[in-house]
Amino acid sequence: MRMSVDPPVDGGVSGAESPGDGGDVGEVIRFDVVGHGEGATVVHVVGEVDTLTAPLLRAQLDEQIATVPLLVLDLTDVTFLGSAGLAVLVAGKDDADRRGHRLRLVCGSRIVTRALQATGLLTLFDTADGVPEALAV
């Protein structure tokens, strides 16, 4: 099962324009959600995770963590990861831990890895080199 999840267009942050570029949030971030049976879901994040888009990532994590024991967050195509995005990742991990679920990250890019290393957060997360490894038990 593969579905593309675009930000909602009915108000809130998702309909706001990005400062300075006149663009829509939907042009800045996209989520591709792929179910892997009942036990795992992969959310592939494409674009920038900043103050404007972090609430969209948070909503996506909240929805998925509640429904599957293993959520793989594929950050391979993230082009920017700011402090708001890092805070969402930490909150997502805490939520998964509280539920007895697992959040596993596929960093996949120097941008994401450096942001996590620079803040000392890399060791906090369960990481994998790729999606197939992340889905392996």
Side-chain angles (χ1 to χ4, degrees):
M1 174 170 80
R2 182 175 178 88
M3 51 186 164
S4 181
V5 178
D6 293 320
V9 292
D10 55 357
V13 172
S14 60
E17 290 194 357
S18 302
D21 68 5
D24 186 86
V25 174
E27 298 171 5
V28 179
I29 194 167
R30 186 180 84 235
F31 306 101
D32 295 320
V33 179
V34 181
H36 291 267
E38 293 181 19
T41 296
V42 176
V43 175
H44 181 194
V45 183
V46 179
E48 301 174 7
V49 185
D50 57 17
T51 306
L52 187 64
T53 60
L56 300 174
L57 177 60
R58 179 62 194 253
Q60 192 62 232
L61 288 178
D62 288 350
E63 178 182 341
Q64 300 301 330
I65 287 171
T67 61
V68 292
L70 172 61
L71 177 62
V72 175
L73 196 58
D74 181 1
L75 303 172
T76 302
D77 291 318
V78 168
T79 56
F80 177 80
L81 180 59
S83 58
L86 292 167
V88 167
L89 294 178
V90 171
K93 182 186 181 334
D94 290 346
D95 186 27
D97 289 349
R98 268 193 311 277
R99 294 173 182 271
H101 293 181
R102 295 180 74 176
L103 173 64
R104 190 170 288 157
L105 303 183
V106 176
C107 297
S109 76
R110 187 171 168 88
I111 290 167
V112 172
T113 303
R114 287 186 71 179
L116 290 168
Q117 284 176 331
T119 55
L121 294 174
L122 188 60
T123 57
L124 177 71
F125 291 99
D126 180 7
T127 61
D129 292 333
V131 172
E133 293 87 354
L135 289 169
V137 175

